[in-house]
Amino acid sequence: MSKLSIRDLQPAGKRVLVRVDFNVPLDDSLQITDDTRIRAALPSIEHLAKAGAKVILMSHLGRPKGAPNPKYSLKPAADRLAELTDAPVRFAEDCVGEKAEAAVAALKDGEILLLENVRFYPGEEKNDPEFSKQLAALGDLYVNDAFGTAHRAHASTAGVTEHLSPCAMGFLVEKELEYLVDKLEEPARPFVVIMGGAKVSDKIEVLNRLMGKADAFIIGGAMANTFRLAQGHQIGKSLAEPDKTDLALQILDKAEKNGIEFLLPADTRHTAEFRDDAPTEVTAPWGEGGAIPDDREGIDIGDQAIAEFSKKIGEAGTIVWNGPMGVFEKRGFDLGTKAVGKAIAENAKAVKIVGGGDSVTAANQFGFGEAMDHMSTGGGASLELLEGKELPGIAVLDEK
Ligand code: AMP
């Protein structure tokens, strides 16, 4: 990537405005239940503080719809950040105007200030020029390390860059680009793409884009039901997209024409009751009369599918995993997702990349997170990068 990096800046004594993603989950008493996003931004924040910058952080939290709301205050995030770093952390009760300006003026070199939620103003999501100008007035340089919102052109991710120079990417964004773009340009082969989750329609663009690069696709989750339905199989009351069966057939055809292996689950685990520990059964192989009865639904890949997928994953040189193989949130419906996570983790030689969202949750839940080379911090943003799109929050940063 040719974008300017935080490493290239001379931030000592400067006010550096940093867009971070502190959109952390909070419980009813406003306690942070998962601080992964705050920890993920620490390398950039500490790098700047150690270099003697005045570090001014901005973020959104939740959906306050353009008005102040104590439920969505970033104060708990400031408190957690103070626990995680040795540098002094201050909090400003507003993100623009007098309070914010006074807090910035009082900031010393090497100190950190977190501004209140930028989405307390409607100008944030509208990328309003006046609001962008007010935000930009608080800084000299700009760093974007909020990968999870880089696919949105908002005031704090796009508008501010018109008034600040230079504008660079933080370490987190740099790593996302390294794995989701650079490493996939000349991937170590075979390049195996594993896709699952609920809908073919959500991931069709990624499938199309990677069709030109991947050696094999592995398909699981409810997505696979749509393919089996398209082939004329009986899928009972499984979740599927009947209006996407033509699309599924086109994808199968394209894969065949391009000589790409396209692995659908050989068999499917199904149940009559959608609950933890419900009894399940596995279909006969789909090619040998397999079917799901009318009153049952497919909730995971079957045992033969697990064996075939694991073998293919074991041979891979590069792996991209996006989407669970089944309803991994329910006990007993998680075998396929767990097995696929394990097979990826055990492939020592492969570059192992997990797309954002549910696959990251699953990898962590089953204890395979540490084994992965990269777990994306952005669901929508990582899909858009894999689709080959340019993210607005990255496009606006300066070139090297
Ligand atoms: P996505 O957000 O598209 O990655 O979809 C993730 C969701 O798909 C998870 O909540 C899974 O429970 C769900 N899912 C995966 N496989 C199935 C299936 N066979 N039937 C119903 N839901 C599924």
Side-chain angles (χ1 to χ4, degrees):
M1 278 313 280
S2 55
K3 289 290 174 191
L4 194 72
S5 157
I6 188 170
R7 303 164 202 276
D8 306 319
L9 301 178
Q10 308 291 326
K14 301 270 175 54
R15 299 174 304 162
V16 186
L17 199 55
V18 187
R19 178 53 155 104
V20 288
D21 180 3
F22 282 0
N23 184 25
V24 287
L26 299 171
D27 64 14
D28 289 342
S29 50
L30 302 183
Q31 297 294 311
I32 295 171
T33 54
D34 181 354
D35 64 5
T36 307
R37 287 179 168 159
I38 300 177
R39 289 175 188 273
L42 271 182
S44 289
I45 296 170
E46 295 199 315
H47 170 84
L48 293 169
K50 282 201 186 103
K54 297 177 176 73
V55 188
I56 303 151
L57 306 176
M58 41 183 189
S59 176
H60 75 285
L61 178 87
R63 295 173 190 274
K65 303 203 173 107
N69 182 339
K71 236 174 86 183
Y72 300 111
S73 172
L74 278 164
K75 181 73 172 58
D79 294 341
R80 178 58 60 90
L81 177 61
E83 290 165 17
L84 294 172
T85 181
D86 292 333
V89 177
R90 311 196 185 285
F91 179 70
E93 287 168 13
D94 208 340
C95 63
V96 289
E98 272 174 37
K99 278 184 185 159
E101 285 159 17
V104 170
L107 205 60
K108 298 193 183 73
D109 293 350
E111 291 186 350
I112 300 164
L113 173 72
L114 175 60
L115 303 173
E116 184 54 286
N117 196 338
V118 286
R119 287 197 191 165
F120 283 181
Y121 287 86
E124 164 62 4
E125 290 184 80
K126 290 188 183 134
N127 196 14
D128 176 63
E130 193 45 44
F131 181 66
S132 301
K133 213 165 156 183
Q134 280 181 284
L135 277 177
L138 303 174
D140 303 308
L141 325 178
Y142 176 75
V143 170
N144 189 350
D145 213 19
F147 181 71
T149 38
H151 60 316
R152 307 266 180 245
H154 292 169
S156 65
T157 60
V160 285
T161 62
E162 290 181 25
H163 309 282
L164 297 166
S165 177
C167 297
M169 59 184 174
F171 291 119
L172 184 62
V173 168
E174 189 175 46
K175 186 171 181 236
E176 296 277 2
L177 294 179
E178 180 190 344
Y179 279 91
L180 296 171
V181 180
D182 299 351
K183 291 244 192 270
L184 303 184
E185 261 161 32
E186 300 287 335
R189 304 220 173 251
F191 175 19
V192 176
V193 177
I194 307 160
M195 304 207 96
K199 293 181 180 168
V200 179
S201 48
D202 285 349
K203 300 189 180 155
I204 178 68
E205 291 301 328
V206 180
L207 265 168
N208 271 331
R209 162 89 179 172
L210 294 179
M211 202 58 98
K213 288 191 174 168
D215 299 295
F217 283 92
I218 288 177
I219 306 290
M223 260 181 100
N225 297 333
T226 303
F227 283 94
R228 289 304 184 197
L229 183 65
Q231 291 172 326
H233 293 291
Q234 188 189 328
I235 62 163
K237 54 173 190 167
S238 302
L239 181 67
E241 293 172 283
D243 58 330
K244 294 288 176 313
T245 49
D246 284 347
L247 186 64
L249 292 177
Q250 283 164 23
I251 294 169
L252 290 173
D253 190 47
K254 190 169 172 188
E256 197 180 337
K257 284 199 178 113
N258 287 295
I260 297 163
E261 260 188 285
F262 204 87
L263 274 69
L264 291 170
D267 50 1
T268 297
R269 189 172 297 277
H270 55 95
T271 186
E273 300 166 74
F274 200 83
R275 60 166 172 84
D276 281 329
D277 300 321
T280 63
E281 283 173 32
V282 175
T283 59
W286 289 102
E288 298 166 30
I292 300 175
D294 285 347
D295 58 341
R296 302 178 67 91
E297 66 184 299
I299 42 76
D300 196 6
I301 58 175
D303 300 324
Q304 189 178 325
I306 287 179
E308 289 175 8
F309 287 4
S310 300
K311 183 166 180 291
K312 183 57 58 189
I313 291 166
E315 295 162 358
T318 304
I319 300 165
V320 169
W321 179 24
N322 195 302
M325 295 292 103
V327 186
F328 74 101
E329 300 94 335
K330 297 237 175 292
R331 254 193 333 264
F333 298 2
D334 54 4
L335 304 180
T337 306
K338 221 185 265 183
V340 160
K342 182 164 182 278
I344 301 171
E346 285 176 353
N347 182 334
K349 68 172 197 308
V351 177
K352 300 177 270 294
I353 302 166
V354 186
D358 279 320
S359 342
V360 170
T361 308
N364 282 328
Q365 185 175 318
F366 302 134
F368 303 124
E370 288 289 308
M372 305 299 169
D373 294 296
H374 182 63
M375 299 225 282
S376 180
T377 54
S382 70
L383 279 180
E384 289 196 19
L385 265 194
L386 291 172
E387 285 166 13
K389 289 189 185 148
E390 193 170 44
L391 307 187
I394 292 170
V396 293
L397 302 178
D398 292 322
E399 299 289 321
K400 247 192 205 203

